[in-house]
Amino acid sequence: MSAKDVTDATFADEVLASDKPIMVDFWAEWCGPCRAVSPILDKIAEEHADKLSIVKIDVDNNPETAMKYGITSIPAMKVFKNGEVVKTVIGAKPKPALEADLAEFLA
Amino acid sequence: MRQLIIVGSGPAGYTAAIYAARANLKPLVIASSVEFGGELMKTTEVENFPGFPDGIMGPDLMMKMQAQAEKFGAEIVYDDVTKLELDGDVKRVTLGDGTVHESLALIYATGSAYRKLGLDDETRLSGYGVSWCATCDGAFFKQKHVAVVGGGDSALEEATFLTRFADKVSLVHRRGELRASAAMQERAKNDPKIEFLWNKEVTSVLGDEKVAGIGLTDTVDGSESALDLQGLFVAIGSDPRTHLVHGQLDLTAEGTIWVDGRSSRTSQKGVFAAGDVIDPTYKQAITAAGSGTAAALDAEHFLASLPTGVIAEAEGSGELVDQIGASA
């Protein structure tokens, strides 16, 4: 199952109001590394569905949110807890490296 | 066990896979989990690959090479090699998920990794204005001022690409002339948005939470200056990715894998190397592809020279280590 899309319009409801940690994958169609990391994120989401939700947002179609969070490099993955960014991971990484970066949210 | 494993999935790896698959070697390609397709996955238009007079997008070219390799029977695994054991007649490849694959011959084509400036703040601000991929990150610098560091084709290509978004692109080069091809130089020099800063070295990256500027030192008179800008793209070349084979394969003084003359034969029997990892000079998609061809033909020749029965035995045995162990 691939990660659900959120938008500028739904970001507050879906992400900021989430009651469990939620990771947002900022991506774009033309970004090769984003396409590479996307199936890895899906896998992590599937394996840790009870701990961490993962959604994605297309920065081209949702510039407001991308600008608000100062995105200058994608893929950028930000974990939100109670509406605040608590972790940022930048760049496509292999699954073990991403799991290590996200360890505190997956345990 | 297999006859042939290919590590790497750039033009060298996939071309080797096409040739090896057509020779019925049923190669297994370890493509990497996030960098499959290699460096061309991060480029836009490729205008100098023969056969595409109108150019082709880098990722499209790599997908076509992959499809061509698969069509002839190459098998592709999207994982990273964590360990290679190259001594002995059987080569062992351990992947990120713990799987172990074995083969009689191996082609190493891992390409090269971007070089860093080596400044403290470069790492800290990486992803916050410091980037190695203009095609990935350029769009976030609309109407901004950015700098590109470097003097080769890739630096000029990045600078030219960034003019689509940025208002101004400063090309910082530590010498007074460029290494880049004449065509790229002409295009960049005719671009009103590109400014050339000659004989300058980037000596610091400024900014708290994101890039706000860079510090420059003049390589001729040593004078220092600062430049306010929002983005820094680093394109100062690349180094061969050899960490998996240190201590197992001989390297050259330039850090590339040593190969015998114009062949792809490394210092280890049954191990062949191709592409940027053996090439300190040309580093083009088409030279890598040619090098991959040589590696596939060398591997094919090596496998054909093995004593009768070795390949049949290898193909008859299972893929996993414990099965090999049990049969030994």
Side-chain angles (χ1 to χ4, degrees):
Chain A
M1 192 189 77
S2 68
K4 183 179 178 183
D5 285 289
V6 297
T7 65
D8 281 348
T10 63
F11 199 83
D13 283 350
E14 305 247 10
V15 176
L16 303 182
S18 170
D19 51 12
K20 72 172 177 177
I22 181 166
M23 184 164 87
V24 183
D25 168 26
F26 293 82
W27 73 290
E29 195 67 52
W30 40 262
C31 158
C34 298
R35 274 183 280 173
V37 82
S38 168
I40 295 175
L41 296 180
D42 292 346
K43 196 114 197 249
I44 292 176
E46 194 182 302
E47 289 172 10
H48 302 277
D50 52 329
K51 302 269 169 42
L52 180 72
S53 318
I54 302 184
V55 295
K56 57 182 181 175
I57 184 162
D58 180 333
V59 296
D60 277 343
N61 299 329
N62 303 284
E64 206 176 289
T65 307
M67 194 175 296
K68 181 173 173 198
Y69 291 98
I71 303 296
T72 58
S73 189
I74 52 172
M77 291 146 274
K78 287 183 184 285
V79 180
F80 289 78
K81 222 168 157 179
N82 304 320
E84 300 287 330
V85 177
V86 290
K87 179 94 191 173
T88 299
V89 179
I90 289 182
K93 296 183 183 187
K95 188 163 177 270
L98 274 176
E99 283 171 339
D101 284 345
L102 299 171
E104 57 190 296
F105 308 104
L106 305 179
Chain B
M1 182 159 49
R2 302 198 170 240
Q3 292 195 57
L4 177 65
I5 292 176
I6 298 169
V7 181
S9 60
Y14 277 148
T15 306
I18 291 166
Y19 271 76
R22 279 176 50 84
N24 261 330
L25 300 180
K26 303 182 195 76
L28 177 71
V29 180
I30 315 294
S32 147
S33 64
V34 292
E35 293 184 288
F36 53 85
E39 207 174 324
L40 282 188
M41 296 299 282
K42 293 182 177 176
T43 62
T44 52
E45 199 91 43
V46 178
E47 291 179 328
N48 54 11
F49 201 88
F52 298 94
D54 301 320
I56 179 167
M57 299 301 277
D60 291 345
L61 180 60
M62 294 322 299
M63 291 300 109
K64 281 177 190 284
M65 285 192 198
Q66 180 193 326
Q68 197 172 349
E70 286 181 309
K71 175 180 160 187
F72 295 113
E75 195 185 320
I76 297 170
V77 172
Y78 297 94
D79 202 341
D80 307 285
V81 175
T82 54
K83 190 175 166 196
L84 281 178
E85 290 157 90
L86 302 176
D87 54 339
D89 293 337
V90 173
K91 316 301 173 193
R92 291 162 54 100
V93 180
T94 307
L95 304 185
D97 68 359
T99 319
V100 177
H101 294 277
E102 296 188 324
S103 64
L104 295 169
L106 183 136
I107 294 174
Y108 190 75
T110 51
S112 51
Y114 295 121
R115 206 172 280 164
K116 292 186 165 191
L117 291 166
L119 304 171
D120 289 343
D121 294 323
E122 171 190 21
T123 309
R124 183 175 60 85
L125 291 168
S126 159
Y128 300 92
V130 179
S131 171
W132 283 265
C133 180
T135 57
C136 304
D137 303 335
F140 299 109
F141 296 88
K142 284 186 186 117
Q143 282 139 37
K144 301 272 168 64
H145 179 190
V146 302
V148 175
V149 198
D153 271 347
S154 57
L156 263 63
E157 204 178 305
E158 298 228 320
T160 304
F161 177 79
L162 286 165
T163 59
R164 294 187 197 185
F165 310 104
D167 274 349
K168 185 174 170 188
V169 179
S170 300
L171 191 100
V172 182
H173 188 44
R174 63 191 160 135
R175 279 187 283 267
E177 58 187 344
L178 300 164
R179 275 192 321 278
S181 64
M184 289 303 308
Q185 289 202 33
E186 181 150 343
R187 193 176 302 175
K189 284 177 177 163
N190 287 333
D191 194 318
K193 283 186 172 182
I194 299 180
E195 162 196 63
F196 287 84
L197 300 175
W198 302 106
N199 302 312
K200 296 272 190 290
E201 205 161 353
V202 178
T203 41
S204 60
V205 187
L206 313 169
D208 290 334
E209 285 180 353
K210 53 186 181 177
V211 172
I214 53 175
L216 299 169
T217 302
D218 193 292
T219 54
V220 178
D221 62 19
S223 63
E224 294 184 3
S225 56
L227 200 58
D228 290 343
L229 42 71
Q230 292 80 43
L232 177 66
F233 290 81
V234 183
I236 52 171
S238 53
D239 292 312
R241 272 191 248 223
T242 54
H243 62 281
L244 288 166
V245 299
H246 282 173
Q248 303 194 70
L249 298 180
D250 290 351
L251 303 181
T252 66
E254 280 137 327
T256 52
I257 292 174
W258 177 87
V259 288
D260 186 8
R262 295 190 63 207
S263 82
S264 67
R265 292 187 300 272
T266 68
S267 55
Q268 186 70 53
K269 210 174 105 189
V271 179
F272 306 88
D276 281 8
V277 83
I278 65 166
D279 178 6
T281 314
Y282 305 108
K283 299 186 185 182
Q284 300 299 302
I286 191 67
T287 52
S291 167
T293 306
L297 296 174
D298 286 344
E300 189 184 344
H301 185 253
F302 166 78
L303 289 164
S305 73
L306 292 175
T308 329
V310 172
I311 289 172
E313 199 182 307
E315 295 211 309
S317 66
E319 181 74 38
L320 293 170
V321 194
D322 49 349
Q323 290 168 288
I324 299 291
S327 70

